[in-house]
Amino acid sequence: MDTRVLTLGRIVFGIPFVLFGLLHFINNPDLTGVVPDFMPGPAFWVYVTGVALVVGGSAIVVNQYTKTGGYLIAALMFLFVILLHIPGMFDEATMQMAMNNFFKDFALGGGALIIAGLSPNEYMEGSEI
């Protein structure tokens, strides 16, 4: 296994999550409209999502607690699929965008699971990727 390729892939995968997380803090008012109506306190959920993205992405990039970071990102992506994209596919106005985002986030969740699966247990010294 070429660890240089795995390291590069891990870093390239994690950086956008960190940046998207930071954008949740910068653009919080703009993102509150994306939070489903049944969830109270949309600004709170945008901040929680931002924290999860920064923490999970950073763990993957710096290769510390990578398994936990991968599971966190995967869980977040699958929650987006369930809470945002599937309901959006039943609204004719958002159907196309929701379907595109469904597949994107589903694939990103799968990629995060691959990173988590390739990572050693957190208590072990060293890392495979």
Side-chain angles (χ1 to χ4, degrees):
M1 195 175 322
D2 188 348
T3 57
R4 293 174 298 179
V5 172
L6 291 173
T7 299
L8 178 61
R10 177 181 46 76
I11 292 168
V12 167
F13 184 82
I15 287 174
F17 289 106
V18 175
L19 297 176
F20 289 142
L22 293 174
L23 288 173
H24 278 67
F25 293 99
I26 296 167
N27 298 326
N28 186 289
D30 298 331
L31 294 173
T32 56
V34 179
V35 177
D37 292 335
F38 64 84
M39 296 177 72
F44 169 78
W45 292 112
V46 172
Y47 285 127
V48 167
T49 302
V51 168
L53 289 167
V54 169
V55 169
S58 296
I60 291 169
V61 169
V62 301
N63 206 24
Q64 295 292 316
Y65 299 100
T66 311
K67 185 177 290 291
T68 302
Y71 286 139
L72 177 62
I73 293 295
L76 192 60
M77 293 299 103
F78 295 137
L79 281 171
F80 288 171
V81 164
I82 293 166
L83 296 174
L84 301 175
H85 308 320
I86 290 175
M89 286 192 270
F90 294 100
D91 181 354
E92 196 169 316
T94 60
M95 183 184 300
Q96 185 65 46
M97 185 60 75
M99 191 173 299
N100 291 340
N101 285 329
F102 170 89
F103 288 117
K104 172 190 60 90
D105 287 346
F106 196 70
L108 288 170
L113 288 176
I114 290 170
I115 287 175
L118 289 173
S119 299
N121 291 329
E122 314 303 27
Y123 60 85
M124 295 174 65
E125 288 294 320
S127 175
E128 292 177 23
I129 64 170

